[in-house]
Amino acid sequence: MAGQSSSQAVTPLQWWKPALFFAVVIIGLWYVKWQPYYGKAFTAAETHSIGKSILGNADNSPLQAAWDYALVYFLAVWKAAVLGVLLGSLVQVLIPRNWLLKTLGQPRFQGTLLGTLFSLPGMMCTCCAAPVTPGMRRQQVSMGGALAFWMGNPLLNPATLVFMGFVLGWHFAIIRLVAGLVTVLAVATVVQKLVKETAVSAAPLEVAQPEPQGSFLTRWGRALWQLFWSTIPVYILAVLALGAARVWLFPHAEGAIDNSLLWVIGLAIAGMLFVIPTAAEIPIVQTMMLAGMGTAPALALLITLPAVSLPSLVMLRKSFPAKALWLTGALVALSGMLTGAIALF
């Protein structure tokens, strides 16, 4: 009887934690993503544009180019980045570990599929979704589930698909949806199978896992501090470095980028490395196509630009084995090449 009363006393306390987490998720995403994108969809439908290319106005000086790009980029993403760090820390202290073990903790395709589904409401760019992923990994989420969640946020973003349909055409949106879904599921599954799990212990799901001890505020403060310092400084440095290199990564000479396999391969790799805000691939591709870029390299960029980036891969260096991150980047680039190659035949 004493054990039963103790269990009943603890149960109500457990439920306010996930309730608080989902309240933060809903309010945060509504403010940062859902409400702004609702209005932006009407703008895209009326003007067939969602703004200027973030790659425009490149400076000849690498230092000035780095500063200019970083300023524009961080002004566009800072709210989502703050939300990503907040959710990445809260998932470690508010969501019961056994919940995640029974869903995203599965090292089978089920975990990858659920990670993909859970990514759909997020609508975050790869670097803003990246801080959530270490929090999930610390809660024993499988490699496939975490990778699918991370890549699904930018690649399967419903708002981006709507913008793309109005701006570039619905055939581009359909190709992006199909190729994006295949990319997320295939890359996460292949990495899960080929890379040995080291960051997450293979605890049996039927055995209840003990929750960490300590007060909520103490545990949250510790998780927030560790997550911030392990992700944000290297994130800023990587964005500055890519801002300086963007002139060489994405040439804008009119007519220079034709419908050739060489350009598909080159831009698929460049797109995989570069970092952009949510949906910024649309005005980038729109501007480059107006300057003469062919459809094939455009399709390659529509997959690789949002999927991953060098800064986001660096941010996850402590959450996945190095082999998993290298393989993820290579497979995303390959997916972009294959998608672009479709337009060559």
Side-chain angles (χ1 to χ4, degrees):
M1 294 296 293
Q4 291 178 350
S5 62
S6 173
S7 175
Q8 291 171 355
V10 172
T11 300
L13 230 128
Q14 300 304 312
W15 281 104
W16 71 263
K17 294 181 179 180
L20 176 60
F21 178 80
F22 288 115
V24 173
V25 169
I26 293 171
I27 294 171
L29 288 178
W30 180 88
Y31 176 72
V32 175
K33 295 291 181 179
W34 300 343
Q35 191 271 340
Y37 289 171
Y38 178 77
K40 201 170 187 177
F42 290 100
T43 301
E46 294 172 4
T47 66
H48 302 290
S49 172
I50 59 170
K52 296 180 180 179
S53 170
I54 197 171
L55 299 180
N57 303 320
D59 196 281
N60 291 328
S61 166
L63 290 178
Q64 188 62 42
W67 173 254
D68 290 344
Y69 185 78
L71 186 62
V72 174
Y73 172 81
F74 284 119
L75 283 175
V77 306
W78 74 268
K79 292 179 182 178
V82 169
L83 180 61
V85 173
L86 184 63
L87 295 180
S89 60
L90 286 175
V91 75
Q92 300 177 56
V93 295
L94 292 179
I95 299 297
R97 182 171 294 172
N98 287 296
W99 287 19
L100 292 173
L101 270 173
K102 293 174 182 177
T103 54
L104 298 173
Q106 297 282 354
R108 300 187 295 272
F109 185 72
Q110 175 189 340
T112 299
L113 185 60
L114 287 174
T116 303
L117 293 175
F118 290 165
S119 74
L120 297 180
M123 303 187 185
M124 290 187 175
C125 64
T126 180
C127 284
C128 295
V132 185
T133 310
M136 297 170 66
R137 291 285 285 162
R138 291 190 182 110
Q139 289 293 87
Q140 298 186 321
V141 168
S142 69
M143 196 180 302
L147 284 174
F149 174 86
W150 173 46
M151 291 186 295
N153 261 275
L155 266 182
L156 303 177
N157 184 334
T160 298
L161 293 171
V162 171
F163 302 157
M164 193 175 297
F166 286 128
V167 176
L168 298 178
W170 292 103
H171 57 297
F172 278 100
I174 293 171
I175 294 173
R176 162 66 176 267
L177 174 60
V178 175
L181 183 61
V182 171
T183 299
V184 171
L185 294 176
V187 172
T189 300
V190 170
V191 173
Q192 176 81 68
K193 289 185 177 296
L194 295 185
V195 181
K196 183 179 180 182
E197 185 73 83
T198 58
V200 181
S201 61
L205 297 182
E206 64 271 12
V207 178
Q209 299 300 304
E211 296 294 332
Q213 300 299 310
S215 69
F216 163 68
L217 290 178
T218 300
R219 292 172 53 211
W220 179 41
R222 188 185 306 117
L224 185 62
W225 180 261
Q226 291 175 346
L227 182 61
F228 177 86
W229 284 110
S230 66
T231 57
I232 301 304
V234 294
Y235 173 34
I236 295 173
L237 291 175
V239 169
L240 286 168
L242 286 175
R246 78 185 193 274
V247 178
W248 301 283
L249 286 173
F250 298 101
H252 280 269
E254 291 191 10
I257 307 178
D258 58 11
N259 231 28
S260 67
L261 183 60
L262 185 62
W263 276 114
V264 169
I265 294 172
L267 288 182
I269 296 172
M272 182 271 294
L273 295 172
F274 204 67
V275 60
I276 59 169
T278 302
E281 68 270 22
I282 297 173
I284 289 174
V285 167
Q286 184 183 34
T287 301
M288 295 177 75
M289 291 189 75
L290 289 174
M293 181 174 69
T295 303
L299 288 174
L301 283 177
L302 288 177
I303 294 299
T304 63
L305 264 176
V308 299
S309 65
L310 181 60
S312 63
L313 289 167
V314 173
M315 291 168 75
L316 295 179
R317 70 197 184 283
K318 295 183 178 180
S319 301
F320 295 92
K323 181 181 177 182
L325 296 178
W326 282 106
L327 188 57
T328 297
L331 289 174
V332 165
L334 178 61
S335 178
M337 295 174 197
L338 294 175
T339 304
I342 294 173
L344 296 176
F345 303 100

